[in-house]
Amino acid sequence: MTACSDILPWHDTAWQLLRAYIANERIPQSTLITGQVGLGKRKLVRFFAQLLLCETTCNDSFTPCGQCRSCTLFLSGTHPDFVEIKPESEDKDIGVDQIRGLLSQLRLTVQYQQYRVIVVYQAEKMNRSTANSFLKGLEEPPNRTAIILITDQLSLIPATIQSRCQKILIKTPSSETATHWLASNKVSGDLSLLLQLTHGAPLLAQEYAGSNAISIREKLFNHFCLLRSHKVSIVQVAAFCCDHHQFDLLAWINSWIVDLVKIRQTSANTSVRNIDLYDSLKKLSGNLDLQKLYDLYVATLELRVQLKQPINKNLAYEGFFIRWLAV
Ligand SMILES: [Zn+2]
């Protein structure tokens, strides 16, 4: 059963665990919250943090009061015992200086009577030296401090850190739950396609609906096809990708390549993911070299990682589309 409107339906299992920590007064010193992008991990963690900090929590409802001194400071973003750490920009790691700053803060006493809560967003962006500094901080846990790491890429979190944390996985909801949630939040459009594009993540699907992702995908797919007949230039398509970098374009392209491989191999449409594009994909698949398609598949995965680093994105996309033309 959902505790309140701040807890999303698919948070239930994780929320039961977090509630149990509070009910049993056993808050883990470090918790690692995982799950794919677009499931509202931050929302859940912030709710839990506010609850830990609240001075007048009604324990029966497990809901922060929203009015005490702590809640007021929390909601205005100025609570001295709530610390958030995140990369300074999308293509940067979490710096070792940020962690050192945190460690010196940990030596100070808690300002209010409740907990101190430290949240590290995109924890996978701690590089090796940052992670080592962080581990040192975990060796001598200060009292009444809860450290919460959030990541959607668990495999990038060093095993030494994982082993020191209580792990909580936020599961992707069923398509029924996700569709129902989107509809009840007045998200319109092709919900099934939106969920396909976001791997079933409702909050990301909601965001995509609000930013015309379906039409961007259609335009990108047109460019992808027209490149083969030289009706658009590589420079144009690369520029289009840079302009729409907020979307996971390479995941979309990757899924088209997977479908092209399937169509080349079987010609049946049963396992094709982008069923709405089947006819165009079939036409496109005609003269493609299977081995080069496999190579291009790998190239999409590599480029997706590279684009998270500070590189010239235009050049990187251009290089990729040159390879697409050579398939
Ligand atoms: Zn409160």
Side-chain angles (χ1 to χ4, degrees):
M1 207 184 81
T2 304
C4 76
S5 60
D6 285 283
I7 303 298
L8 297 164
W10 54 93
H11 287 168
D12 252 7
T13 311
W15 178 234
Q16 298 302 332
L17 281 169
L18 294 170
R19 272 174 61 147
Y21 292 159
I22 293 177
N24 301 327
E25 295 182 18
R26 296 186 62 144
I27 312 295
Q29 199 245 327
S30 340
T31 308
L32 177 58
I33 309 267
T34 71
Q36 69 168 94
V37 178
L39 296 181
K41 297 186 290 300
R42 290 173 187 226
K43 189 177 166 76
L44 178 65
V45 166
R46 284 185 60 88
F47 185 79
F48 178 64
Q50 190 185 347
L51 187 55
L52 283 180
L53 296 167
C54 175
E55 291 165 349
T56 51
T57 303
C58 171
N59 260 353
D60 291 341
S61 66
F62 290 95
T63 305
C65 75
Q67 287 166 354
C68 69
R69 183 179 50 169
S70 256
C71 280
T72 310
L73 288 168
F74 181 89
L75 294 170
S76 67
T78 53
H79 200 301
D81 295 327
F82 181 61
V83 184
E84 296 174 286
I85 293 178
K86 54 187 132 190
E88 281 164 3
S89 67
E90 260 313 297
D91 54 8
K92 280 198 176 145
D93 284 340
I94 293 174
V96 73
D97 289 344
Q98 288 174 274
I99 298 296
R100 285 194 190 126
L102 165 69
L103 296 181
S104 53
Q105 218 168 333
L106 283 182
R107 285 183 216 111
L108 304 172
T109 50
V110 172
Q111 306 243 346
Y112 291 94
Q113 295 306 308
Q114 311 303 314
Y115 275 86
R116 171 164 39 205
V117 184
I118 292 151
V119 181
V120 183
Y121 301 103
Q122 290 182 273
E124 73 281 357
K125 293 216 166 184
M126 286 194 284
N127 59 32
R128 187 179 291 272
S129 56
T130 313
N132 283 338
S133 297
F134 191 73
L135 274 171
K136 271 187 205 141
L138 294 186
E139 275 165 14
E140 298 163 19
N143 271 341
R144 297 186 76 75
T145 296
I147 300 174
I148 304 172
L149 307 181
I150 305 181
T151 186
D152 45 56
Q153 295 178 77
L154 182 62
S155 61
L156 298 181
I157 304 283
T160 42
I161 288 189
Q162 288 195 35
S163 65
R164 282 165 198 255
C165 298
Q166 292 288 329
K167 265 186 258 177
I168 297 183
L169 169 70
I170 313 277
K171 285 190 189 149
T172 306
S174 68
S175 61
E176 289 77 21
T177 303
T179 307
H180 181 263
W181 185 85
L182 287 171
S184 59
N185 279 276
K186 309 211 177 336
V187 176
S188 56
D190 187 339
L191 300 187
S192 137
L193 181 54
L194 281 169
L195 286 168
Q196 181 199 310
L197 296 185
T198 55
H199 305 282
L203 294 186
L204 190 58
Q206 183 183 39
E207 193 185 313
Y208 271 25
S211 48
N212 288 324
I214 289 183
S215 108
I216 303 295
R217 168 182 176 262
E218 197 181 312
K219 282 183 190 150
L220 180 63
F221 185 71
N222 282 339
H223 281 335
F224 189 69
C225 298
L226 290 174
L227 261 180
R228 300 285 302 182
S229 49
H230 304 284
K231 288 181 181 147
V232 286
S233 71
I234 284 176
V235 173
Q236 279 173 298
V237 183
F240 179 88
C241 290
C242 289
D243 287 345
H244 299 92
H245 191 61
Q246 74 272 32
F247 299 106
D248 199 351
L249 305 178
L250 281 162
W252 300 351
I253 295 175
N254 182 275
S255 75
W256 302 337
I257 295 170
V258 171
D259 282 348
L260 286 170
V261 170
K262 284 179 185 163
I263 294 169
R264 283 288 287 143
Q265 284 175 329
T266 67
S267 191
N269 71 356
T270 45
S271 60
V272 167
R273 187 146 183 250
N274 299 280
I275 198 74
D276 60 316
L277 306 176
Y278 178 74
D279 291 339
S280 305
L281 285 166
K282 182 143 180 42
K283 220 179 275 175
L284 201 57
S285 70
N287 296 316
L288 301 178
D289 180 308
L290 204 48
Q291 182 56 50
K292 285 183 179 167
L293 262 184
Y294 283 128
D295 294 344
L296 195 69
Y297 166 81
V298 175
T300 56
L301 301 180
E302 287 169 354
L303 183 55
R304 200 157 167 246
V305 174
Q306 286 164 16
L307 287 172
K308 289 182 178 151
Q309 304 299 319
I311 59 165
N312 183 325
K313 293 183 173 52
N314 247 310
L315 278 182
Y317 275 118
E318 284 174 22
F320 174 79
F321 288 120
I322 287 171
R323 289 186 68 168
W324 165 227
L325 283 185
V327 172

